[in-house]
Amino acid sequence: MTIAAPTGSSRDLPHPPRAEIRLEAVLHALSDPLRLQVVRELAADGDELSCSHFDLPVTKSTTTHHFRVLREAGVIRQIYRGTAKMNGLRRDDLDGLFPGLLDSVLAAAARQAVRLGSR
Amino acid sequence: MTIAAPTGSSRDLPHPPRAEIRLEAVLHALSDPLRLQVVRELAADGDELSCSHFDLPVTKSTTTHHFRVLREAGVIRQIYRGTAKMNGLRRDDLDGLFPGLLDSVLAAAARQAVRLGSR
DNA sequence: CTACTCGTACGATAGACATCGTAGTACGGC
DNA sequence: GCCGTACTACGATGTCTATCGTACGAGTAG
């Protein structure tokens, strides 16, 4: 639950505490196709992924922006690890606040992906 | 499934067919506090409600706008019944496309309402 | 027909947002 | 110390969105 960085990183990013996560912000964060895809990949991997792992059809500035939106909504957790920034889903917090919500959204996204033919 | 109006209303409103409902649009529609509240009341009532039943802190123009967003996202069904316009959740379509999603969102909204004290 | 109610349509406006490019900062390896 | 990599910060821009006010159309009651 602590976001301590064992590797000794000093740059800390501001995350909303669990109690301040708002449902509307989460839904808004997930309503963007790019961000929804990122969350899907994070959920599929189950572990932390670096920003550069994602191959999004936008520039790096825009990528940074989207990750920031996800972090400020409380959907993902970001920590610096050396020169890379690792991203992980805040599954514990989201499941604690809104049980079943994340899974429903992920299942819905998967279903829609199948329905629309794209994978 | 048909949206026929037995009362003989001739004014028909455009609704997206089930196959064209997009998850992102639904999430976006639900990410607005006013719209989420409307959906909550519709779900609580279980039946159709007129537009004027809702006492929203905005003008009628804005109310019309929000109902239109909900309708075009495929979240609600609107039919004219005389001078009133009745609104109903498209539960069947939403549950068919994204099983469990609507219930999770509603449960999450209820939980958050309790958590934030505003019942 | 007239008047009233309910909701729409249209135009305006201010704020939010997605996107980009460029310049800059932090970290690790040479 | 110097350079490359990874990501950020800032400013600009076009688009979308929430909001309003006013004018209009459709239906119902008198």
Side-chain angles (χ1 to χ4, degrees), chain A residues 62-100:
Chain A
T62 308
T63 303
T64 298
H65 162 70
H66 284 304
F67 275 105
R68 170 198 279 263
V69 172
L70 285 171
R71 187 188 72 235
E72 292 181 343
V75 178
I76 65 171
R77 195 180 287 121
Q78 296 189 292
I79 61 174
Y80 281 104
R81 187 155 312 183
T83 156
K85 187 161 73 171
M86 306 305 286
N87 304 277
L89 262 187
R90 289 181 68 172
R91 242 193 194 287
D92 46 352
D93 290 323
L94 292 176
D95 286 345
L97 285 171
F98 314 121

Side-chain angles (χ1 to χ4, degrees), chain B:
Chain B
M1 203 156 291
T2 43
I3 325 180
T7 19
S9 158
S10 60
R11 288 188 288 170
D12 274 358
L13 293 162
H15 290 74
R18 177 195 280 219
E20 278 174 24
I21 297 180
R22 301 279 274 114
L23 174 61
E24 295 89 333
V26 172
L27 294 178
H28 176 246
L30 297 178
S31 72
D32 182 280
L34 283 185
R35 293 193 291 257
L36 183 57
Q37 184 189 335
V38 166
V39 170
R40 291 228 291 149
E41 290 188 35
L42 281 176
D45 184 278
D47 210 357
E48 298 178 330
L49 293 173
S50 74
C51 280
S52 51
H53 171 270
F54 300 89
D55 195 23
L56 302 177
V58 291
T59 65
K60 291 213 279 189
S61 315
T62 309
T63 302
T64 299
H65 161 70
H66 284 304
F67 275 104
R68 171 198 278 265
V69 172
L70 285 172
R71 188 188 74 235
E72 291 182 343
V75 178
I76 66 173
R77 194 180 288 120
Q78 296 189 293
I79 61 174
Y80 283 104
R81 187 157 311 184
T83 157
K85 187 162 73 170
M86 306 306 286
N87 305 277
L89 262 187
R90 290 181 68 171
R91 239 192 196 290
D92 47 350
D93 290 323
L94 292 176
D95 286 345
L97 284 172
F98 315 121
L101 178 66
L102 184 59
D103 286 328
S104 305
V105 174
L106 290 172
R111 259 176 170 257
Q112 174 170 285
V114 171
R115 179 163 60 95
L116 298 185
S118 43
R119 169 68 54 182

